[in-house]
Amino acid sequence: MQGTWRWNVVFGMTGIVLTVLFSIGNNPLSVIMLRSLYAFIAFFVLAYPIRYVLAFILKPPAMIGDVQENEETKGSSLDLTTPDEGEDLNDLLKAQMLGAANPAEQEQQSSSNQEADPAFRPLAPPQFVSTTNKQPEDLAKALRHLTGE
């Protein structure tokens, strides 16, 4: 059964309020109280079929081929593992760095690059040269070149 008995009490109180509103001007207080008690009982009992019908109407349709889990096993396990894709990622980065579309072209390019430029090493840039042993004329020339004079 959907919901709790509190919904039935709310329906019963609704019956009391409606009975008092419709009979306050025509009946004495004792008759209003007795009819309010009857209305509470009637609305309380009628709330069960109303709740059942609403639960049946509002229930989402079951997916075809969807396996229903037991209530005891729902949420008891959590799988946080992801597949290891380190090698694939490294291959893609190497291919992008070398500009190849597939691994076969990558191997051909890497072998041809090694033959053409053996001093090139990826991710190993040349070190900056210090200015301690430079001539002042060379430094002034470099500064003019950088400033555009």
Side-chain angles (χ1 to χ4, degrees), residues 108-125:
Q108 291 174 356
Q109 281 187 349
S110 63
S111 62
S112 65
N113 284 346
Q114 289 174 356
E115 294 168 2
D117 190 13
F120 176 73
R121 292 182 315 225
L123 301 177

Side-chain angles (χ1 to χ4, degrees), residues 11-99:
F11 273 95
M13 292 294 188
T14 304
I16 290 174
V17 169
L18 289 174
T19 304
V20 169
L21 287 177
F22 288 125
S23 63
I24 191 79
N26 300 332
N27 296 318
L29 186 60
S30 61
V31 174
I32 292 174
M33 296 298 282
L34 184 62
R35 289 183 181 171
S36 295
L37 177 67
Y38 293 152
F40 177 81
I41 293 170
F43 274 73
F44 188 88
V45 171
L46 285 175
Y48 282 109
I50 291 172
R51 282 183 21 212
Y52 178 76
V53 169
L54 285 176
F56 182 75
I57 291 172
L58 298 177
K59 182 174 62 171
M63 300 298 289
I64 297 174
D66 190 19
V67 178
Q68 297 291 333
E69 293 185 15
N70 296 2
E71 290 296 324
E72 296 84 28
T73 60
K74 281 187 180 179
S76 62
S77 65
L78 179 63
D79 186 13
L80 294 176
T81 59
T82 57
D84 184 28
E85 297 176 350
E87 286 296 321
D88 295 335
L89 182 61
N90 287 337
D91 292 341
L92 287 173
L93 288 173
K94 287 178 185 176
Q96 182 182 9
M97 190 167 54
L98 296 174

